[in-house]
Amino acid sequence: MKLSFRWYGRQDEIPLAYIRQIPKMEAIVTAVYDVPVGEVWPEESIMDLKKQVEENSLKFEVIESIPVHEDIKLGKPERDRYIENYCENIRRVAKAGVKCICYNFMPVFDWTRTQLDHRLPDGSTTLVYYQEQVDQVNPLETKSDLTLPGWDASYDRDELRSVVEEYHRLSEEDLWDNLEYFLKRIIPVAAECDVNMAIHEDDPCWSMFGLPRMITDEKNLDRFLKIVDDKHNGITLCTGSLGCSGYNDVVKMATKYAAMGRIHFVHMRNVKILDNGFEERAHPSSCGSLDMYAIAKALYENGFDGYIRPDHGRMIWGETGRAGYGLYDRALGASYLNGLWEAIEKNERGEKKE
Ligand code: DNO
């Protein structure tokens, strides 16, 4: 595994100099954040990120995300221009040394939670998803002032309403067709540049606000990988996104897709599944519903050698900042991953000797 850490560029309050002090930290996961979705990233911005990362002895090899314009997902006539821009972005970051690009194909809303600072019994705060709170939200209602994290803040309420309405006219099969159209054009470019595309699962992995969602379970991941059967068309295995629903067997998925060589990036996060949703928890297995050891072991045993990052952390030790993306708990997560990995590796080597 290549240990990595998400960093939001110059606007991130966490200095790269701190991130490099996390033991075994290798690579930074970042993006150009000041260009509107769908447009081409200036080469100077890409090179500026690379320079900052490398000056701190870290590698600039993973982008999360190059966002996909809604016109592509909706299959609108303008999509060809946006796909061409997307291909150009792949070429540009590849030229700067990037090896892996994470993205998602979720209609309108990226990841969704209902509260960002839910207090756990130990006094830390975390992100949670409670269904009854989601049920009270109608993103189409002008009166509703609720916005959820991860939502594209560039839409005003009316624009949001009109995009959501366009999706309501689209079936899940239409969305699959639009994904296929996109993949068939971008994967050959990624292959040419030898960059691994790694789609992120829908988070949470079920339909929201009546909108179609596709990248949610094993059946659909199988279907996704077959659309373009090339290793450059791969996935980000996000344990928390898949694992917040009891019907996904994350260990089985880690085993299967790592063995196929199609997992290029892993987001390691533990969640506690509840009757009415889930809570994000600290990384160790006993803190949530996922067996993090079994997932890491499945990855190791099946030859995973891609990038891995501790996903969201709680806010601990009085830290404030971007929900899910503080330094302290993610650093603890990274250390936990290092420990798991060392134990698995040594155990495995020992077993081989016998
Ligand atoms: C949440 C993240 C997602 C992810 C995108 C990838 O914290 O995991 O926002 O970056 O879905 O495109």
Side-chain angles (χ1 to χ4, degrees):
M1 72 159 186
K2 298 191 235 349
L3 191 62
S4 63
F5 207 79
R6 193 172 195 183
W7 176 71
Y8 284 89
R10 287 189 192 274
Q11 53 181 349
D12 199 318
E13 287 166 22
I14 303 169
L16 286 168
Y18 286 9
I19 298 174
R20 76 178 280 199
Q21 292 170 351
I22 300 169
K24 300 198 70 185
M25 193 48 69
E26 242 186 274
I28 285 296
V29 176
T30 190
V32 171
Y33 289 102
D34 56 0
V35 172
V37 174
E39 298 307 326
V40 174
W41 291 358
E43 264 169 317
E44 311 81 73
S45 308
I46 300 169
M47 293 319 283
D48 177 51
L49 281 172
K50 180 181 169 71
K51 185 165 162 278
Q52 290 180 74
V53 169
E54 291 179 350
E55 272 171 6
N56 284 279
S57 311
L58 293 160
K59 291 179 184 150
F60 177 67
E61 294 183 352
V62 189
I63 295 293
E64 178 177 347
S65 308
I66 302 183
V68 179
H69 194 276
E70 297 301 329
D71 284 7
I72 298 178
K73 296 182 234 169
L74 284 161
K76 292 170 83 167
E78 273 290 282
R79 70 176 155 181
D80 289 326
R81 178 174 90 79
Y82 290 119
I83 293 176
E84 192 31 61
N85 287 352
Y86 205 97
C87 292
E88 180 57 21
N89 280 333
I90 296 176
R91 290 187 200 100
R92 289 187 179 198
V93 299
K95 207 169 121 201
V98 166
K99 310 264 185 283
C100 175
I101 298 172
C102 173
Y103 68 103
N104 74 72
F105 214 81
M106 289 180 242
V108 202
F109 309 107
D110 196 310
W111 56 295
T112 301
R113 299 290 181 272
T114 55
Q115 196 188 337
L116 304 180
D117 57 355
H118 174 78
R119 197 164 290 281
L120 292 169
D122 66 1
S124 59
T125 60
T126 196
L127 296 97
V128 297
Y129 177 104
Y130 298 140
Q131 192 57 45
E132 65 276 10
Q133 292 177 333
V134 175
D135 294 342
Q136 284 158 14
V137 177
N138 179 355
L140 303 188
E141 231 175 62
T142 331
K143 281 190 286 325
S144 158
D145 57 358
L146 191 120
T147 50
L148 294 176
W151 290 13
D152 184 344
S154 66
Y155 288 116
D156 64 28
R157 183 72 52 188
D158 286 341
E159 285 166 339
L160 189 66
R161 186 191 301 123
S162 89
V163 185
V164 169
E165 278 167 358
E166 285 185 68
Y167 276 105
H168 282 154
R169 290 193 285 273
L170 210 71
S171 70
E172 200 176 306
E173 283 309 307
D174 294 332
L175 195 60
W176 277 106
D177 287 346
N178 297 341
L179 175 59
E180 176 167 346
Y181 186 93
F182 173 65
L183 291 175
K184 290 198 163 148
R185 283 156 186 80
I186 63 152
I187 299 298
V189 176
E192 205 179 283
C193 302
D194 201 17
V195 165
N196 291 321
M197 298 301 299
I199 199 166
H200 189 286
E201 293 84 20
D202 299 351
D203 181 7
C205 53
W206 51 73
S207 166
M208 304 219 31
F209 309 120
L211 299 174
R213 283 199 151 185
M214 298 179 291
I215 312 299
T216 51
D217 58 15
E218 187 178 343
K219 184 170 122 283
N220 286 0
L221 279 167
D222 286 347
R223 177 172 177 181
F224 167 80
L225 292 173
K226 279 200 201 104
I227 294 176
V228 181
D229 200 4
D230 179 314
K231 81 143 189 130
H232 299 94
N233 180 35
I235 65 173
T236 297
L237 186 89
C238 177
T239 62
S241 302
L242 290 168
C244 61
S245 163
Y247 60 72
N248 279 326
D249 180 342
V250 185
V251 178
K252 180 170 173 232
M253 289 158 122
T255 305
K256 172 170 169 182
Y257 300 122
M260 288 166 70
R262 302 294 279 276
I263 302 179
H264 302 308
F265 192 19
V266 175
H267 288 180
M268 283 294 248
R269 162 160 49 96
N270 203 353
V271 287
K272 177 77 183 168
I273 302 178
L274 307 168
D275 289 341
N276 64 335
F278 60 91
E279 291 173 354
E280 297 191 3
R281 292 287 181 84
H283 288 80
S285 308
S286 59
C287 299
S289 303
L290 300 181
D291 187 337
M292 304 293 274
Y293 165 72
I295 296 169
K297 191 161 180 281
L299 290 169
Y300 179 90
E301 285 173 350
N302 290 285
F304 170 74
D305 66 350
Y307 302 90
I308 193 161
R309 72 168 176 81
D311 204 2
H312 306 167
R314 301 157 303 142
M315 281 299 172
I316 60 171
W317 304 338
E319 189 176 20
T320 54
R322 193 185 298 269
Y325 286 98
L327 172 65
Y328 304 148
D329 201 36
R330 284 192 298 152
L332 290 180
S335 273
Y336 171 68
L337 290 179
N338 278 332
L340 277 183
W341 210 260
E342 180 176 339
I344 293 166
E345 212 164 32
K346 287 195 170 156
N347 196 34
E348 197 79 5
R349 285 203 204 118
E351 276 169 17
K352 286 210 180 98
K353 264 189 244 147
E354 279 162 24

